[in-house]
Amino acid sequence: MMLIDVSELLLTIGERLRVESHLLLGDFVTKTRAQNKDIKIKAISMKGEPKLVLLKLVEDIKADCIVLGSRGLGKLKGSLLGSVSSFLINQVTTCPVIAVK
């Protein structure tokens, strides 16, 4: 049996995805600022368990409001797959959390 080390390939893919995500975030911020100068917006890219990273971020930046998407999986699928929006709605106590479909 032959074993192949793919760690370099995975690091390369991960780095490419990180760079692409930063470009998308930057583009989103630029377009949003161009459409409405009154909106204060900052793009932040982080690694980790999404619901825990977002919960900590909300506390750190003292957010006024959180708006996030919801896939609308329903109670069964949402509980099996884990719903970030449901978690944040139930855990964030410092500001309103709005989930949109």
Side-chain angles (χ1 to χ4, degrees):
M1 173 165 52
M2 182 175 173
L3 297 176
I4 299 172
D5 182 6
V6 295
S7 58
E8 289 293 322
L9 176 62
L10 292 177
L11 288 174
T12 303
I13 292 170
E15 180 62 17
R16 192 171 90 214
L17 291 173
R18 187 189 68 75
V19 169
E20 287 178 16
S21 71
H22 282 260
L23 292 172
L24 286 171
L25 282 170
D27 187 46
F28 174 77
V29 169
T30 301
K31 287 179 181 177
T32 302
R33 283 185 180 146
Q35 291 175 1
N36 189 337
K37 305 287 185 202
D38 297 328
I39 293 178
K40 182 179 175 184
I41 185 169
K42 180 179 181 182
I44 301 170
S45 177
M46 302 172 77
K47 287 170 53 173
E49 177 68 32
K51 57 187 171 187
L52 299 177
V53 170
L54 288 170
L55 183 61
K56 181 169 179 0
L57 178 64
V58 168
E59 294 167 356
D60 290 349
I61 67 172
K62 297 175 177 55
D64 295 323
C65 180
I66 304 165
V67 180
L68 52 115
S70 172
R71 293 186 291 171
L73 296 177
K75 290 182 182 180
L76 181 58
K77 281 186 181 179
S79 64
L80 292 173
L81 297 175
S83 170
V84 173
S85 56
S86 293
F87 177 82
L88 291 174
I89 287 168
N90 291 310
Q91 295 297 318
V92 173
T93 59
T94 57
C95 68
V97 178
I98 301 167
V100 295
K101 285 187 181 182

